[in-house]
Amino acid sequence: GAVVSQHPSRVICKSGTSVKIECRSLDFQATTMFWYRQFPKQSLMLMATSNEGSKATYEQGVEKDKFLINHASLTLSTLTVTSAHPEDSSFYICSALSGPSFNEQFFGPGTRLTVL
Amino acid sequence: DQQVKQNSPSLSVQEGRISILNCDYTNSMFDYFLWYKKYPAEGPTFLISISSIKDKNEDGRFTVFLNKSAKHLSLHIVPSQPGDSAVYFCAARSSARQLTFGSGTQLTVLP
């Protein structure tokens, strides 16, 4: 299947700093990417839908000013956690849609964010 | 309000036996259902899916059953293998190709 990468895989930062997470589709173009967050032993929660060349669509309860999403090209979407706080510590996963079918939504390996 | 529920957080099965993972949903507008397998510190991997117009889909050792009237789906793995040990998430599509995930079931296949 298609490959989606995320960078970094793990990041530890101090409270108040901003962290950027990259999501790349390596061998296909993705007009749509999704960002999820997973807390321990909980489900993957959709945070936002990222469409290339347009503004992201955020789910209810997700602060768009805190979680900045940029989808500047067909192979790259970035999530920036601004002024991170300990409660933002989580596992962030992106997925990329390579076609209209759901089995064509490929997930990245995730990024573990720890805010001290 | 959880629209997709996996009520069993864990399941242990002997190697060679059948594993049955269950999932319930509340939104009758869901039209497509998927199962994903996830290892720690990795993203989910697609396993098998089923359209709401079907009641069964089979792929090798994996079979997904859908009971629309009960708003229930299940994943059967037979025979179970130790390599199947992972967290299994069911997911449902509502609109805009967005997925709603259940909370996952940790499957452990004992050798």
Side-chain angles (χ1 to χ4, degrees), chain A residues 21-97:
Chain A
I21 302 169
E22 293 185 348
C23 177
R24 293 182 186 271
S25 56
L26 297 185
D27 51 2
F28 66 99
Q29 293 183 330
T31 55
T32 302
M33 290 185 174
F34 300 96
W35 286 95
Y36 295 85
R37 179 168 56 183
Q38 184 188 23
F39 292 105
K41 298 188 185 301
Q42 293 188 24
S43 174
L44 282 77
M45 299 299 295
L46 179 66
M47 298 175 65
T49 302
S50 169
N51 293 298
E52 187 267 338
S54 64
K55 290 184 178 180
T57 303
Y58 291 81
E59 294 301 300
Q60 192 174 10
V62 178
E63 299 175 58
K64 62 180 181 180
D65 294 330
K66 181 166 186 61
F67 298 99
L68 300 178
I69 291 173
N70 184 283
H71 194 159
S73 78
L74 287 171
T75 59
L76 173 65
S77 175
T78 60
L79 168 68
T80 301
V81 183
T82 62
S83 187
H85 288 96
E87 57 266 28
D88 298 324
S89 298
S90 187
F91 192 58
Y92 292 87
I93 304 175
C94 72
S95 70
L97 207 60

Side-chain angles (χ1 to χ4, degrees), chain B residues 30-84:
Chain B
F30 288 141
D31 62 355
Y32 209 84
F33 302 90
L34 306 92
W35 283 94
Y36 284 85
K37 180 179 180 180
K38 185 179 181 301
Y39 294 110
E42 293 184 13
T45 303
F46 169 76
L47 204 55
I48 192 169
S49 63
I50 188 168
S51 166
S52 60
I53 62 174
K54 295 187 175 181
D55 55 17
K56 178 183 176 181
N57 187 26
E58 190 173 351
D59 182 4
R61 296 186 297 114
F62 303 93
T63 304
V64 56
F65 295 92
L66 175 63
N67 182 333
K68 279 189 69 177
S69 61
K71 294 190 176 68
H72 176 84
L73 66 154
S74 61
L75 173 67
H76 293 210
I77 306 173
V78 56
S80 301
Q81 300 173 354
D84 296 329

Side-chain angles (χ1 to χ4, degrees), chain B residues 8-22:
Chain B
S8 298
S10 64
L11 174 68
S12 290
V13 171
Q14 208 68 39
E15 181 180 5
R17 306 294 288 269
I18 185 171
S19 296
I20 300 176
L21 298 104
N22 295 302

